[in-house]
Structure formats: structure tokens, C-alpha cells
Amino acid sequence: MKSGPHVTLADVAQSADVSLATASRVLNGTASVRTDLRDRVMSAATELAYAPNAHAQALAGGTHRTVGVICHDVSDPYFSAVAGGVMKVANANGLLVMLADTFRDPDREVAYVSALRAQRASAIVLIGSAFEDRSWERAMAAELDPYRRGGGQVAAVSRHRGLKVDTVQPDNRGGAAALAKALVGLGHKRFAVLAGPTRLTTVCDRLDGFAEELAAHGVPLSDDDVLETAFTRDGGYEAAKRLLERPKRKRPTCVFAVTDLMAIGALAALREAGVAVPGEISVAGFDDIPVVRDLTPALTTVALPLEQLGERAMDLALKGSGTRARTVRLNAEVVLRESTARPRR
């Protein structure tokens, strides 16, 4: 049976055969609960060694000045740049930062929030995409709601529709639409999109913004034109290899990778196959991580203020929030570089 520091409220509820709301009311003392249900929850919590929400008094007294930062992949330059912004503001305010890597596992993300509650962190910053998953939303809310009621502060980067937390939202949809418009303007009419898992809100927003703008210009994008792979360099590499299996006349003239890392992998696959970029296929990415301007050819992309995303999220967490969650929106900008050009006739 699961036990230890990463046991979550959802684990306790499942073991006690009660709802998340009932388990939360029992363990956080927010409302009266029937005696039999209370006994089941307390028994399950004891058996699983669940750490209850004992951090509220410590937060009120200011005895712990620790910030928990939870990201999807610390090796990804996107996340390291955003985390750098968080740490910059945290350091200026004398806060200690604990960094956790979920490896894009939603259950691990919920478990880390539970662990940070037990560690009495004064703030939690989520800098990964949300998941298009209602069960994940419920489990995360069951951890974050009592944490916030106890005085903890929460801020997130990217769209988290199901969570009532302060959010810094990059313009993923608008940036992708602007990129599509620019690429159509170069004369491209056959596209492929290298997409990460569509259960991630960031992927959905970028894919939808790109496809909708293409449609507005009368350029179709079929299901076969969207290749869903891992949200990594290797994912981009494998997707590009699959594209190259198609006959030349059926290949796209332009490839859009929803992250720069995936675009880097695609460039490697095209280079190995002797396909000229942008002579035969143009390639574009998203994020503008520092390395892409130094590639050969330099990568066309959508630039986000990565460090500023982290800074603003940490600012929100420090300032605290009232009853209504706040949203800060930051713009994206298309940067055309040498990896894209007019298609050959």
C-alpha cells in the first residue's frame, strides 16, 4: 500500500472510500462530518502516514520562508529560464527555493504539492502546463484549496482553467496564430505540425491558434498533418523522421514544432536525411530559448519573455491574493530567422 511523504489527499479519500471533499473536511477541520466517515478518513490517513495540513499556524507566524517550484522538465531550457526568473525574485526577497521535476507526470505533480504542504512551504509556483484532465484538476484542487485557506500562496504559469489560483499566461494561442499568418505570407500552403501530447493545455492552445489562423486563410490542416509525439528534442526528431517517410510530393513545405526543443530535433533529422532547410522544408518553433538563434540555420520562432514569466509568477505569490484569482497576460512575438523562406516553385 502507498505510504510516505508523497501520499496525497486523493490517496486517503480512495482508501477510505469517501469523496475528496469529505476527506478534506475531516483532515482540515473545515466542517462537521458524520462520525463513521470521520473515523474511516482518520484511519486511512494513519495507515498511509498522510501528512495533514499542519502548516497553517507556521505560515501565519512566518516561521518558514520556503518556496516550492514545480516544473515538468528542468532539463528543458524553457523551464530552466522560467525557474530562473522565479529564483531571481525569491532571492531578492530572502526566500529559499525548492525545485521539483515532475517529468510531466500528473500524479507526481499532485504528490509534490502534497509534500510541499507537509514541508510548510510559504508559496508554491507551478511553471508547467496544466493537464486537460478533470480527475487531475480535482486532485490538485483538493490539495491547493486547503493550502491557500491556511495562508499558503499559489501562482501558476500557463493556462490552468480548473484551478482558482493566480496565473501568468503567455499568449500561446495568439503567438501561434501570428506565426501561421507570417508563414502563409511567405507563400506556404502545405504544413505539418509537430505537437506534444494534446492533454497539455499549452499544446492545445498553440495547435488551435495555428490551425485556426491557417483555416482563416483557406489553408487546410488535416489530422494526418498533426504528429503527436513526446514534448522533447527526441520527440521532434522522431516526428520529422515519420514525415520523411512520405513521398516528396506529399511532404509539407513548412513544419511548425510547438516547442523549440522539438524543432531542434526536427532540424537534426532533416540534416541527417540531406534535406535542405529552408530550401526544401522550412522549420519554425515556439519559445525562443537562447540556443535557437545560434543554430545553422537560426530558427524562426515565437519569442516569449521566459524569465519574466517566472518573475511575474513569483511576484503574484509574494503579494498574495484575495478571493478572486488574478491573471497576468504577457505577449508573444514572431521572430523570423533563416530557417524559414519562400517555398520553391
Side-chain angles (χ1 to χ4, degrees):
M1 180 172 290
K2 185 175 180 180
S3 63
H6 297 325
V7 173
T8 68
L9 188 62
D11 296 324
V12 175
Q14 182 179 11
S15 179
D17 194 23
V18 300
S19 68
L20 276 170
T22 297
S24 177
R25 285 193 290 268
V26 171
L27 295 173
N28 295 295
T30 55
S32 60
V33 177
R34 277 179 14 213
T35 301
D36 60 323
L37 295 180
R38 180 180 181 82
D39 290 344
R40 278 159 49 187
V41 171
M42 296 304 296
S43 176
T46 300
E47 185 176 357
L48 295 174
Y50 175 74
N53 187 18
H55 74 295
Q57 294 84 359
L59 289 172
T63 58
H64 287 79
R65 298 293 293 166
T66 301
V67 176
V69 177
I70 302 176
C71 74
H72 284 190
D73 183 359
V74 72
S75 67
D76 185 328
Y78 170 91
F79 292 107
S80 58
V82 177
V86 173
M87 292 178 182
K88 182 178 179 180
V89 175
N91 183 65
N93 288 272
L95 299 170
L96 174 66
V97 175
M98 294 191 296
L99 180 62
D101 190 327
T102 70
F103 303 101
R104 296 190 173 87
D105 181 341
D107 293 334
R108 187 186 296 267
E109 187 169 33
V110 174
Y112 279 144
V113 170
S114 179
L116 287 169
R117 287 181 59 197
Q119 291 295 322
R120 303 176 184 177
S122 57
I124 296 174
V125 180
L126 307 172
I127 62 173
S129 170
F131 295 89
E132 293 283 354
D133 183 336
R134 295 303 299 273
S135 63
W136 171 84
E137 289 178 6
R138 289 192 294 268
M140 184 64 82
E143 295 290 344
L144 291 179
D145 289 350
Y147 171 78
R148 293 176 67 237
R149 287 195 300 268
Q153 301 299 328
V154 182
V157 173
S158 194
R159 179 170 62 88
H160 287 67
R161 179 178 56 194
L163 303 181
K164 298 177 181 179
V165 299
D166 295 333
T167 306
V168 180
Q169 292 188 11
D171 191 7
N172 287 317
R173 181 183 290 266
L179 177 63
K181 183 177 181 179
L183 296 174
V184 170
L186 290 176
H188 291 283
K189 295 182 180 180
R190 298 202 313 273
F191 290 88
V193 178
L194 312 187
T198 53
R199 64 176 179 160
L200 297 174
T201 58
T202 296
V203 173
C204 294
D205 290 346
R206 294 179 182 182
L207 177 58
D208 290 348
F210 194 80
E212 289 170 6
E213 186 66 22
L214 290 185
H217 289 83
V219 177
L221 188 70
S222 69
D223 291 342
D224 290 338
D225 296 327
V226 179
L227 290 80
E228 185 176 338
T229 62
F231 214 36
T232 61
R233 179 267 180 199
D234 290 345
Y237 178 89
E238 292 300 327
K241 295 282 281 186
R242 284 159 53 188
L243 280 177
L244 292 174
E245 294 173 358
R246 301 179 181 179
K248 284 189 176 182
R249 59 186 174 82
K250 292 187 177 182
R251 291 177 185 174
T253 61
C254 186
V255 171
F256 166 48
V258 296
T259 71
D260 287 344
L261 270 189
M262 296 183 75
I264 290 172
L267 287 171
L270 295 172
R271 183 173 60 251
E272 289 179 7
V275 176
V277 177
E280 296 177 69
I281 297 180
S282 290
V283 178
F286 202 114
D287 292 331
D288 198 29
I289 60 177
V291 69
V292 299
R293 67 200 67 174
D294 299 322
L295 299 175
T296 303
L299 183 68
T300 286
T301 189
V302 178
L304 295 178
L306 301 179
E307 188 170 306
Q308 189 181 356
L309 290 173
E311 292 174 355
R312 297 298 297 274
M314 190 68 249
D315 282 337
L316 288 175
L318 284 173
K319 293 174 183 176
S321 61
T323 57
R324 181 173 298 181
R326 299 165 294 177
T327 300
V328 174
R329 291 181 170 84
L330 297 182
N331 293 330
E333 180 183 359
V334 174
V335 181
L336 295 177
R337 297 194 179 104
E338 291 76 16
S339 67
T340 54
R342 287 190 167 277
R344 288 179 178 176
R345 289 187 179 274

